[in-house]
Amino acid sequence: MALETESVTRDKLSLADTEIDWARLDKTRFHVIGAVLFTVQQALIHPTAVVKTRMQVADSRLAHMPGMVVFKDILRNDGIPGVFRGFGTSAIGSLPGRVLALTSLEMSKDMMLKYTQGLNMPETTRIGVANGVAGMFSSLISSLYFVPLEVICQRLMVQGLPGATFYIDPFDVARKVIKAEGFRGLYRGFGLTALTNSPAVALWWGAYGAAQRIIWRSLGYRDDSEKKPSHMEMMAVQATAGMVAGACSSVITTPIDTVKTRLQVIDDYGVARPSVLKTTKILLKEDGWWGLYRGFGPRFLNMSLYGTTMIVTYELI
């Protein structure tokens, strides 16, 4: 009986164990194993990113089709490689950026939790604020690395669309963009990304931290309670909170993402360098206000799946 009790105890976690701070984290395991798991997770949802990008950039005919129809159209014309365009560049290129993003996220979250420890605020609010501020800081730091990578990947994703420039490989994209616009061409949309992604990421992590805490409490778990969740319960709660956070974020941020994607990819706007205002005006002229939600279905699916799989992978490692 004693052995059985000990086994059950090992399978249970205290509620505090569901939130691992930077000091308790195995950094080598976090980055090495995480790189492999996040690459697999990225491969699973990459086709939704390709469909979303094509719908945002293409002419009105393709943009108004259901996401599944666009997906089948890509498969019919380009086969399996078509729905994985840009994946190699994204997967390999993301590795250093992911280390930068996750390290800055964990360290800043740890600092925020320490600074807010003595404040008179509810624990759910404190967790949400700490996650939100950490997410915003991490997004600002990682944008310096990820924006050029995003510009290159998105241009590879839209290969085959009418008017799209042909590129041999990611290095060819970088060469042609730099030749046409200089190095700043790789940072198209950086200002929009920095101004919008940081609040969006803060929203995501804040919603995730608060949602997870609310779900735990609704299930009867407390920090001072003897009741402890199992590993399966922990993964289920984290997956649900991640899905909720991803869905909320996609609804709010899709219009900004549509403008940013077109700004980073489309060149044929006539004279002068593309701008946020010019891109928005042309998009509104083509489709009206609904044009800002081009590719919403695939993006909603992408961010919901991303939220679920990413957070389970992230918390697991």
Side-chain angles (χ1 to χ4, degrees), residues 36-308:
V36 176
L37 293 179
F38 278 122
T39 300
V40 173
Q41 176 254 348
Q42 188 177 356
L44 293 174
I45 65 172
H46 187 80
T48 62
V50 174
V51 173
K52 182 270 299 184
T53 301
R54 287 200 168 210
M55 291 177 70
Q56 289 177 332
V57 173
D59 57 31
S60 296
R61 179 191 63 81
L62 186 64
H64 293 158
M65 289 181 179
M68 185 55 69
V69 174
V70 177
F71 177 75
K72 290 178 179 178
D73 184 65
I74 297 173
L75 281 178
R76 184 171 57 252
N77 293 325
D78 302 318
I80 296 295
V83 295
F84 282 95
R85 277 189 173 159
F87 172 69
T89 303
S90 177
I92 297 172
S94 293
L95 294 177
R98 192 172 287 125
V99 171
L100 175 65
L102 293 179
T103 300
S104 59
L105 173 72
E106 284 300 325
M107 292 183 70
S108 55
K109 182 171 70 173
D110 189 51
M111 291 175 60
M112 282 302 300
L113 286 173
K114 288 177 181 177
Y115 288 146
T116 57
Q117 197 166 18
L119 298 180
N120 185 23
M121 65 171 64
E123 187 65 11
T124 300
T125 304
R126 190 173 80 90
I127 296 294
V129 169
N131 276 274
V133 172
M136 181 181 294
F137 178 75
S138 174
S139 176
L140 282 171
I141 296 297
S142 59
S143 289
L144 292 169
Y145 178 87
F146 277 113
V147 168
L149 180 65
E150 189 176 46
V151 169
I152 292 171
C153 290
Q154 287 179 341
R155 285 177 177 250
L156 292 173
M157 287 179 189
V158 299
Q159 294 253 64
L161 289 179
T165 305
F166 174 75
Y167 301 105
I168 300 172
D169 53 38
F171 300 104
D172 188 41
V173 178
R175 279 194 300 269
K176 288 180 178 176
V177 170
I178 292 173
K179 183 179 179 181
E181 302 180 51
F183 192 71
R184 70 174 187 170
L186 292 175
Y187 277 90
R188 266 200 199 181
F190 176 79
L192 194 60
T193 300
L195 289 172
T196 58
N197 267 21
S198 296
V201 173
L203 168 67
W204 196 100
W205 281 102
Y208 168 73
Q212 185 182 195
R213 204 76 183 179
I214 290 170
I215 294 171
W216 281 128
R217 294 192 177 280
S218 69
L219 294 175
Y221 292 102
R222 299 290 188 277
D223 292 324
D224 56 353
S225 173
E226 293 183 1
K227 184 181 179 182
K228 297 181 179 181
S230 66
H231 287 282
M232 288 302 296
E233 285 178 309
M234 185 178 72
M235 290 181 66
V237 168
Q238 290 167 346
T240 302
M243 181 173 64
V244 170
C248 291
S249 182
S250 68
V251 171
I252 296 171
T253 61
T254 291
I256 299 167
D257 183 72
T258 302
V259 173
K260 177 175 69 71
T261 300
R262 290 172 69 90
L263 178 65
Q264 291 176 331
V265 173
I266 295 179
D267 292 315
D268 190 19
Y269 281 160
V271 296
R273 177 182 167 85
S275 65
V276 173
L277 183 60
K278 187 185 297 184
T279 303
T280 304
K281 284 181 177 179
I282 291 176
L283 184 61
L284 291 175
K285 183 179 179 181
E286 289 177 359
D287 286 325
W289 291 103
W290 284 111
L292 295 174
Y293 274 89
R294 276 188 176 191
F296 173 72
R299 188 165 193 269
F300 183 89
L301 179 63
N302 177 281
M303 293 196 70
S304 299
L305 289 175
Y306 174 80
T308 302

